[in-house]
Amino acid sequence: DAKTTQPTSMDCAEGRAANLPCNHSTISGNEYVYWYRQIHSQGPQYIIHGLKNNETNEMASLIITEDRKSSTLILPHATLRDTAVYYCIVREAAGNKLTFGGGTRVLVKP
Amino acid sequence: EAGVTQFPSHSVIEKGQTVTLRCDPISGHDNLYWYRRVMGKEIKFLLHFVKESKQDESGMPNNRFLAERTGGTYSTLKVQPAELEDSGVYFCASSPSWGVGFYNSPLHFGNGTRLTVT
């Protein structure tokens, strides 16, 4: 089972920042938090990942709380093309696989 | 750099027939994974290759599914005989080297093969 909890859906206004929360209260110290998204009819697309520190790349920022029990993915200026299902995944150190949950369905509205 | 490519993009077969899906990982990636999403369900792990060896096949649903990665390059996933419940989207992913940095390397997914069994 997935080790994360995300809201089922959320709306966001085009041009505004989208903040996607994720809870992972049982995360272990050496496990990474990964974010992927799936746009309709495409494969999961890698966004960003982190262990302890906040991370930023050209797509998004990842804020991880100090106790590592939750994180937030920030899309700084959402566009209509960011409409997708966003998956927060704890990559388990004991195994090789990513375990996908239900994700958050994000709808960016004009 | 070419991404992960999968072939075919769609396949429609009848129950009892055989289908073979192909995945070409990103060049140089030792790790290759198969996942699938069946209707209404979440994306599920099937198996993981490190080069040509099966590292983890705990997600394979039954012995009708056979995955191979001869030579450690491309991989095939054969379903024989196909059943109705095998319908879904089959994704392949790859990531760089096994060992140091493994968990710090993202998986890169292809766009999947949509399999419909009628």
Side-chain angles (χ1 to χ4, degrees), chain A residues 1 30 32 34 36 38 41-46 49 87 91-102, chain B residues 33 35 37 42-45 48 55-56 58 91 95 98 102-112 114:
Chain A
D1 291 344
N30 58 351
Y32 286 82
Y34 276 77
Y36 282 78
Q38 187 173 23
S41 297
Q42 298 181 18
Q45 178 188 23
Y46 167 75
H49 73 285
Y87 297 97
R91 188 165 185 182
E92 299 178 25
N96 312 313
K97 51 188 175 285
L98 298 177
T99 302
F100 287 81
Chain B
Y33 310 79
Y35 286 76
R37 182 204 294 274
E42 297 165 355
I43 299 172
K44 294 290 188 184
F45 167 84
H48 168 211
Q55 183 69 24
D56 181 355
S58 61
F91 295 106
S95 70
W98 178 245
F102 172 72
Y103 293 102
N104 195 21
S105 298
L107 279 65
H108 298 275
F109 285 80
N111 282 329
R114 181 172 296 277

Side-chain angles (χ1 to χ4, degrees), chain A residues 15-93:
Chain A
R16 304 295 293 271
N19 297 294
L20 282 62
C22 179
N23 288 322
H24 31 79
S25 58
T26 61
I27 193 171
S28 299
N30 58 351
E31 293 177 333
Y32 286 82
V33 178
Y34 276 77
W35 282 83
Y36 282 78
R37 71 181 182 184
Q38 187 173 23
I39 297 170
H40 183 61
S41 297
Q42 298 181 18
Q45 178 188 23
Y46 167 75
I47 301 174
I48 199 167
H49 73 285
L51 183 62
K52 297 179 182 178
N53 300 321
N54 298 337
E55 302 287 345
T56 295
N57 63 20
E58 65 279 4
M59 291 183 67
S61 294
L62 174 60
I63 309 298
I64 302 175
T65 57
E66 191 169 345
D67 64 7
R68 302 189 70 239
K69 293 184 177 181
S70 65
S71 60
T72 301
L73 178 74
I74 301 172
L75 306 178
H77 305 286
T79 71
L80 299 180
R81 288 178 295 181
D82 291 323
T83 291
V85 179
Y86 287 76
Y87 297 97
C88 170
I89 301 169
V90 169
R91 188 165 185 182
E92 299 178 25

